[in-house]
Amino acid sequence: MLKTWPGRGRLALYVAAIVLGIVEAAVLTTDPYEVTGGVALLLGFTHAAAIPLALRRPVEAAGLSLVAVTVAALAIARVGEGGWPWMVPPPTLTQLLVLVVLTLVAGWRLAAITLGIQVAAGVVLAVVGMAWNDLVDSLVAVANFASLALLIGALATVARRLSESRSALREEHERRSVVEEKARIARELHDVIAHNMSLITVQARSAPHRVDDVSPAAEAEFAEIADLAASALRQMRGVLDVLRTEEGQSGRVPVPGIDGLAELFESARGTGQRVEVRGDLPEPTDVAPEVGTAAYRIVQEALSNARRHAPSEAVGVDLTMGDEDLEIRVANPLAGATSATEATGGGHGLIGMRERASAVGGSLTAGAVDGEFVVEARLPARTAVRTPAKRGRKTS
């Protein structure tokens, strides 16, 4: 509740606390109470300080208010006829406001406990003050205060529930807006990409039958293009499923995880790219699924950048599975001015890789190192099942 407490509401409470502190101190010094000025100021402002304190430390504020209102009642016990101990106006108003703030900030239970302690203390004070005040009148004053506090507390509880309902409706509206925006993005992605990717797949598969004198090597190349296009289309449909899936519902995984790296390397080699993998591929159980997905996408993007900027150069991929982290290093020789932009982190691919690493609690750096463009990522494994005897599986 405190997080949604409006700034003007807090300012109004501060002003009310100052005014009530001044009024309470002034009334306690006047006839018939005649409390010493210094004591009256201390009581008034100590009691009033519980109001803003309740915004951040409700329990401490409740205790402070109980002590202050009890001491104030004791200070006027000898002249407290007509409302003693709880219906003397200034302390009563301050205490009612404290109870209201406690209800709004911490809920009705703390306010009810505070009121219960105060009523019990009132009964004790009524008995103690029998020498100066009528017992029945004192008990009636305690009952009247309790009734008024219960009424105001009930209204504050209703106000709190209404505020919580309004906040819940606002959050639901925001959630629905996000879902609708994801659905809109999914539709646009489908309209822009799916049709063309399907055409590429169909044309690549039919090319050997439509074009005369296609060599076996060219036919194999067409088949590879068709397979890559079909794979990209499947992955895109997985992304669309995730975009269309609401929180808490199941959806297909948009991309392969750690177990898809071997196929990714073979697919890259099938395009003519030289990929040298050093280290063992982690087992799927060694990393959390979201970490495996992030690792797959980071390696995929790094290989794509290398293929785009230095297609004739070999790419080195190092995978190191530690006790807590998965370390990835992808390096390829610099290709002139091409890597300058990438090294500054200005490329969208690098931004995406950094975001993927950050999303799972990891980090990623990229830049020129000793004539190579190097992408290094450190991702927390968050291992589900540790298998020390069998850390990973070999890959070529």
Side-chain angles (χ1 to χ4, degrees):
M1 186 72 179
L2 176 60
K3 293 180 179 179
T4 60
W5 193 285
R8 285 180 293 182
R10 288 195 297 270
L11 178 60
L13 283 180
Y14 297 150
V15 172
I18 294 173
V19 172
L20 287 172
I22 295 173
V23 172
E24 183 171 338
V27 170
L28 290 177
T29 59
T30 60
D31 184 68
Y33 307 115
E34 302 294 345
V35 178
T36 305
V39 176
L41 282 173
L42 179 62
L43 287 175
F45 282 98
T46 299
H47 195 187
I51 297 173
L53 181 62
L55 292 174
R56 295 192 176 278
R57 295 186 174 274
V59 176
E60 289 85 346
L64 180 63
S65 69
L66 289 173
V67 171
V69 75
T70 302
V71 173
L74 290 172
I76 63 173
R78 293 177 179 272
V79 290
E81 294 181 359
W84 188 87
W86 296 138
M87 293 306 288
V88 179
T92 297
L93 291 176
T94 303
Q95 191 64 11
L96 287 174
L97 187 53
V98 170
L99 291 173
V100 168
V101 177
L102 289 177
T103 303
L104 294 176
V105 173
W108 65 269
R109 287 182 178 83
L110 178 59
I113 292 172
T114 304
L115 178 59
I117 295 174
Q118 186 173 350
V119 170
V123 173
V124 173
L125 287 173
V127 175
V128 172
M130 287 175 58
W132 307 284
N133 304 281
D134 183 76
L135 176 61
V136 175
D137 289 343
S138 299
L139 293 177
V140 169
V142 172
N144 288 338
F145 175 84
S147 300
L148 183 59
L150 286 173
L151 175 60
I152 294 178
L155 294 176
T157 301
V158 171
R160 176 185 170 90
R161 294 293 173 83
L162 290 175
S163 177
E164 291 174 346
S165 299
R166 185 166 57 250
S167 298
L169 289 173
R170 187 183 304 112
E171 291 175 1
E172 176 64 18
H173 175 72
E174 293 174 354
R175 189 186 70 82
R176 295 303 306 174
S177 297
V178 171
V179 171
E180 292 172 1
E181 179 65 13
K182 288 167 64 177
R184 184 187 66 81
I185 294 173
R187 288 193 299 269
E188 291 184 0
L189 279 174
H190 185 272
D191 293 342
V192 171
I193 300 175
H195 177 68
N196 290 332
M197 292 300 294
S198 298
L199 286 179
I200 292 174
T201 303
V202 172
Q203 289 179 338
R205 293 196 187 282
S206 62
H209 307 287
R210 293 183 290 101
V211 180
D212 296 333
D213 300 327
V214 177
S215 66
E219 186 173 349
E221 190 74 17
F222 279 127
E224 179 70 18
I225 293 172
D227 291 340
L228 289 174
S231 176
L233 186 58
R234 285 194 302 271
Q235 293 185 30
M236 190 205 69
R237 284 172 176 160
V239 173
L240 297 185
D241 275 352
V242 171
L243 288 175
R244 289 168 176 154
T245 300
E246 297 188 26
E247 184 178 357
Q249 297 178 346
S250 61
R252 288 184 296 175
V253 179
V255 293
I258 285 293
D259 55 349
L261 284 177
E263 182 180 350
L264 175 65
F265 295 143
E266 291 303 319
S267 176
R269 294 184 182 114
T271 66
Q273 187 176 24
R274 289 186 292 158
V275 180
E276 300 174 357
V277 181
R278 294 177 289 271
D280 298 336
L281 293 182
E283 294 289 344
T285 54
D286 283 346
V287 297
E290 62 272 16
V291 176
T293 297
Y296 180 93
R297 280 305 194 195
I298 288 170
V299 174
Q300 183 184 48
E301 181 64 28
L303 292 177
S304 297
N305 286 341
R307 186 163 53 247
R308 183 165 58 251
H309 300 314
S312 61
E313 303 291 346
V315 183
V317 180
D318 294 273
L319 299 170
T320 304
M321 187 69 209
D323 291 335
E324 296 182 355
D325 296 322
L326 170 62
E327 297 180 10
I328 302 171
R329 186 179 189 273
V330 182
N332 63 278
L334 289 172
T338 303
S339 295
T341 300
E342 299 290 344
T344 62
H348 293 291
L350 286 180
I351 294 174
M353 285 193 286
R354 290 192 180 98
E355 289 176 348
R356 287 185 181 277
S358 177
V360 295
S363 61
L364 184 141
T365 59
V369 179
D370 297 332
E372 292 185 316
F373 185 76
V374 179
V375 175
E376 291 182 307
R378 180 184 292 271
L379 308 178
R382 299 175 184 172
T383 306
V385 178
R386 283 292 182 193
T387 53
K390 184 180 180 181
R391 172 60 73 184
R393 59 185 186 279
K394 293 288 185 179
T395 184
S396 55

